[in-house]
Amino acid sequence: MAAPANASEPLPALADELALIAGTARKAGAMAMQYFGGSDLDVRLKDGESPVTKADYAVDRYLRETLLAARPGYGWLSEETADSDVPGRMAAPRTFIADPIDGTRAFIAGHAVWCISVGLVEAGKPVAGVLECPALGETISATAGGGAHRNGRSIRVARPGAELLIGGPRALVDRLNASGAARARRHSHVPSLAYRLAMVASGAMDGSFVKPFASDWDIAAAALILTEAGGVFTDGKGADVTLNGADPLKGTLVASHPDLKAAMLGVVGDLGFG
């Protein structure tokens, strides 16, 4: 991996980073839409169960080449790129973490809920992120300290009401409902995890559990969007989520309004999902 041109130079401002990511993701979204709804997707299965298409690979290549050309000293981690330089990306001053199409099954089926997810991580924490959702006509973005926005308008998590709308595994939602700590019903399945977290950020859901084995690329952008919208995003023990480690896989995660954190974590621990 190339080193920064001058390690003593300050890193770009987050507004400039966001502009780079958003512009690149927008063009990648237009590229993905050229494949969306078509029959020639060359669908394959990774590890025997996870689908990938030639659109995933094309978008991944465009994102990687464009972003690293603009920031040659940065690291790269993506669902569709071999993670061949773990020490290099971990040592980089900032690392792009991307999912070229989050919600590939929906993309293949011609459903609109999928997005291009690009987060930028520094010292284990996301500092800029974009979800480009071209089939929905939405761009959702955030920078650290700059708030979260959808199509230029600020978004915030919703204060919980008498009945909660919660995403994630049915066992956890049912147990939350039965715990007496909250009255909850389960949101219907959302095929993109990144977009589901953004729904919590915008108040369309009160919270969501995330079952084990989500990866950094699923959450890097959405985690920042959620926290900048006033939400909380933790592991199953209530600790902050760290990104760009040696292993991108995560355990159970909890996304919610701060007032729901304790109740949702109590359910996770009680069922041994932590």
Side-chain angles (χ1 to χ4, degrees), residues 128-153:
V130 172
L131 301 181
E132 180 67 25
C133 315
L136 294 171
E138 297 181 14
T139 301
I140 309 169
S141 64
T143 55
H149 300 83
R150 181 175 59 201
N151 292 349
R153 294 180 177 271

Side-chain angles (χ1 to χ4, degrees), residues 53-118:
T53 73
K54 63 182 181 181
D56 294 82
Y57 290 128
V59 170
D60 181 73
R61 183 170 56 253
Y62 175 76
L63 292 172
R64 183 176 69 251
E65 292 176 354
T66 303
L67 293 171
L68 292 182
R71 302 286 189 267
Y74 285 16
W76 178 260
L77 176 63
S78 166
E79 182 173 13
E80 309 306 348
T81 302
D83 191 16
S84 59
D85 187 13
V86 175
R89 67 167 169 79
M90 291 178 65
R94 287 174 176 164
T95 294
F96 294 108
I97 301 183
D99 191 339
I101 298 179
D102 186 65
T104 298
R105 286 183 175 87
F107 183 89
I108 293 168
H111 300 155
V113 182
W114 54 272
C115 60
I116 294 165
S117 172
V118 184

